[in-house]
Amino acid sequence: MAGLPADDVLAERLRSGDDDTFALLLDGWSGGMLRVARSFVSTEESAAEVVQETWLAVIEGIERFEGRSSLKTWVYRILTNTAKRRGTREHKVVPMSSVDDSGPTVDPSRFRPAGDPFPGHWWDFPPAWPSPEQGLLSGEVRDRLAKALAELPERQRLVVVLRDVEGRPYDEVCELLGITAANQRVLLHRARAFLRGKLEEYYRERS
């Protein structure tokens, strides 16, 4: 959110009970927080409650904010911890270490084999996609992406939401989720490959 004061200024205003600052952060950050929370819990309503609990915890705990991370990272850490606890109660959260992320991200049969004049190349080129501007205008594409996102394994969805939807830097995502940089790269690559495959299916159907 552009134009925000520095974190120390924001934190001091929150400590002093500045309602305008709180409302500014609430309006600016809650949408993203809701999307992240939804990745942990079962329903939209439950995610909204997680966000509400998080803001209450922020207000109650702002005195403990020491500036070791950005204020937003601190808030998101509270959010993810709150959401994980609720997700566990709802039996939705899958431990980060329990999902098998091995195996190819693209079906190997789509590539030319060793011994072919062009080994490793695609057998068939994917269908042409519209420009980013055209894609953004299509509600149908957005619906397809939303459904594909919902099909992703838990931790892949979390990483791609934080990185590509929320625009959080990789080090912050690692810190929030308690994963290594290498682990994050694998999860993000696999999530993007899955989403790209779903979009390819869609455009192939339309071509």
Side-chain angles (χ1 to χ4, degrees), residues 58-153:
V58 167
I59 294 304
E60 291 172 355
I62 190 63
E63 294 293 342
R64 295 192 294 276
F65 174 67
E66 299 176 343
R68 295 180 180 177
S69 64
S70 72
L71 180 62
K72 191 168 188 178
T73 297
W74 184 73
V75 170
Y76 268 68
R77 192 180 304 127
I78 295 173
L79 173 81
T80 53
N81 288 336
T82 304
K84 282 177 184 175
R85 286 195 296 273
R86 181 178 282 257
T88 299
R89 291 200 299 272
E90 295 175 354
H91 307 293
K92 185 172 187 296
V93 170
V94 178
M96 285 286 179
S97 61
S98 67
V99 179
D100 180 13
D101 284 311
S102 60
T105 53
V106 178
D107 184 353
S109 67
R110 299 190 62 186
F111 300 102
R112 294 176 181 270
D116 185 276
F118 302 100
H121 288 222
W122 294 88
W123 279 108
D124 298 303
F125 287 108
W129 290 16
S131 69
E133 292 78 11
Q134 290 171 319
L136 286 174
L137 293 176
S138 170
E140 192 174 358
V141 172
R142 288 198 297 273
D143 289 344
R144 282 290 185 112
L145 270 177
K147 289 177 182 175
L149 200 60
E151 293 176 22
L152 280 172

Side-chain angles (χ1 to χ4, degrees), residues 177-199:
L177 301 180
I179 57 178
T180 65
N183 197 195
Q184 183 200 192
R185 283 196 294 272
V186 171
L187 293 170
L188 186 61
H189 171 69
R190 299 186 71 81
R192 285 173 174 171
F194 179 82
L195 296 176
R196 187 166 53 244
K198 289 294 183 181
L199 283 179

Side-chain angles (χ1 to χ4, degrees), residues 34-53:
L34 189 63
R35 286 189 287 274
V36 173
R38 184 65 182 85
S39 296
F40 287 93
V41 299
S42 304
T43 64
E44 296 289 343
E45 292 74 17
S46 186
E49 290 179 10
V50 167
V51 173
Q52 184 177 1
E53 286 180 34

